[in-house]
Amino acid sequence: MKILISQPNHEANLEQLQVEIALDYDFDTILFPEGYITNEGSVTKVCEVAKHYKKMIITGYLDNSKKDRALIINQYGEIILERAKSPMNDILYSPSTVEVDGYKIGYLLCVELLQGLLGLEQQEHVRNLSYVAHPIGVGMFSEEQYDEWISEAKKIAIKYNTMIVGTSHADGSFRNCGISIPIAYCIDSTGNHIFISKNDLRTRIINLETKKYEVIERTLV
């Protein structure tokens, strides 16, 4: 499996998704941040895009009450995982794993990363995960948060003996605090990073089988 990992700007027209998914590169899945899809009506359009390009899309969307929800759409344009975001200091909502074409995928939505170490144990199919996808809303609001989240991701990778892949938006900040460190990363099952992108907005494609990646030499405009 090859995953395209993008760090788009917040936008309402899905332009960056449509540009990225049409790239003439070899990949079968695309990972976008939490809340990239800004309304429920656009989910149908994203399903059509996934079906047209025959790519799985892993991201998140905002419902009509502006609450974040999890979303995975398969290459046939079918929604295979959809749920609310787990509240802080609560159990990790189910489903947070899904099986597709022989792969077992874990899913953590943004701050759910901090619930994932124990929370994934309560999910079905948690054994032999192919990887964990981690759509993040905005960049880190401090170096301390950056270090904490990378540390938590490594713990999850080691505990479940799987890769974990995450990405945030290129713009925006937590509660509009004005501070944002855009982040994208891939950590292998031993807790070693294949790459960690910090304030580097380039798109990457990771081959999960070879643990190698390529950088698409193109930045956002």
Side-chain angles (χ1 to χ4, degrees):
M1 178 174 283
K2 295 181 180 179
I3 305 175
L4 183 146
I5 304 161
S6 181
Q7 298 174 83
N9 286 316
H10 288 84
E11 57 182 5
N13 57 9
L14 306 174
E15 180 179 352
Q16 190 68 25
L17 173 64
Q18 294 179 87
V19 168
E20 299 278 48
I21 204 168
L23 287 173
D24 188 21
Y25 285 84
D26 180 21
F27 63 95
D28 47 66
T29 300
I30 185 165
L31 177 65
F32 262 54
E34 173 195 57
Y36 174 75
I37 304 171
T38 58
N39 59 80
E40 291 186 27
S42 293
V43 172
T44 300
K45 182 176 181 179
V46 175
C47 288
E48 294 170 354
V49 170
K51 182 178 180 180
H52 177 78
Y53 288 99
K54 298 180 174 59
K55 311 285 188 185
M56 184 162 66
I57 298 174
I58 303 175
T59 184
Y61 76 98
L62 293 173
D63 65 18
N64 289 335
S65 61
K66 297 303 179 183
K67 299 293 186 180
D68 282 298
R69 298 187 68 87
L71 184 66
I72 300 180
I73 301 167
N74 69 14
Q75 69 270 34
Y76 307 110
E78 302 164 338
I79 295 173
I80 58 173
L81 187 150
E82 193 282 338
R83 62 164 172 81
K85 184 177 182 179
S86 310
M88 286 286 291
N89 303 316
D90 201 345
I91 61 170
L92 180 65
Y93 279 178
S94 179
S96 287
T97 63
V98 66
E99 289 196 59
V100 53
D101 294 338
Y103 291 95
K104 295 180 180 180
I105 303 170
Y107 183 103
L108 298 171
L109 188 59
C110 200
V111 75
E112 288 181 349
L113 179 75
L114 304 181
Q115 298 156 288
L117 189 65
L118 299 178
L120 284 172
E121 288 183 347
Q122 311 303 318
Q123 307 290 320
E124 294 183 5
H125 314 304
V126 71
R127 295 186 182 278
N128 302 314
L129 289 174
S130 302
Y131 65 94
V132 175
H134 180 214
I136 306 166
V138 295
M140 306 291 95
F141 57 73
S142 68
E143 293 288 344
E144 290 76 16
Q145 186 198 20
Y146 176 91
D147 292 341
E148 178 190 19
W149 282 40
I150 292 297
S151 176
E152 286 300 312
K154 289 181 178 180
K155 292 176 185 176
I156 290 168
I158 293 169
K159 178 171 182 177
Y160 296 101
N161 191 35
T162 190
M163 286 188 179
I164 180 167
V165 187
T167 192
S168 76
H169 283 94
D171 63 341
S173 61
F174 177 68
R175 295 181 178 175
N176 297 316
C177 69
I179 301 170
S180 179
I181 305 171
I183 181 176
Y185 70 86
C186 180
I187 294 169
D188 72 15
S189 59
T190 67
N192 292 315
H193 67 266
I194 297 174
F195 76 83
I196 300 179
S197 167
K198 181 179 181 182
N199 279 319
D200 179 350
L201 304 180
R202 294 175 297 176
T203 296
R204 290 166 172 80
I205 297 175
I206 177 73
N207 185 326
L208 297 188
E209 295 179 359
T210 65
K211 299 184 180 180
K212 295 182 179 179
Y213 70 94
E214 58 183 317
V215 176
I216 309 304
E217 295 290 346
R218 181 176 52 79
T219 55
L220 299 175
V221 295

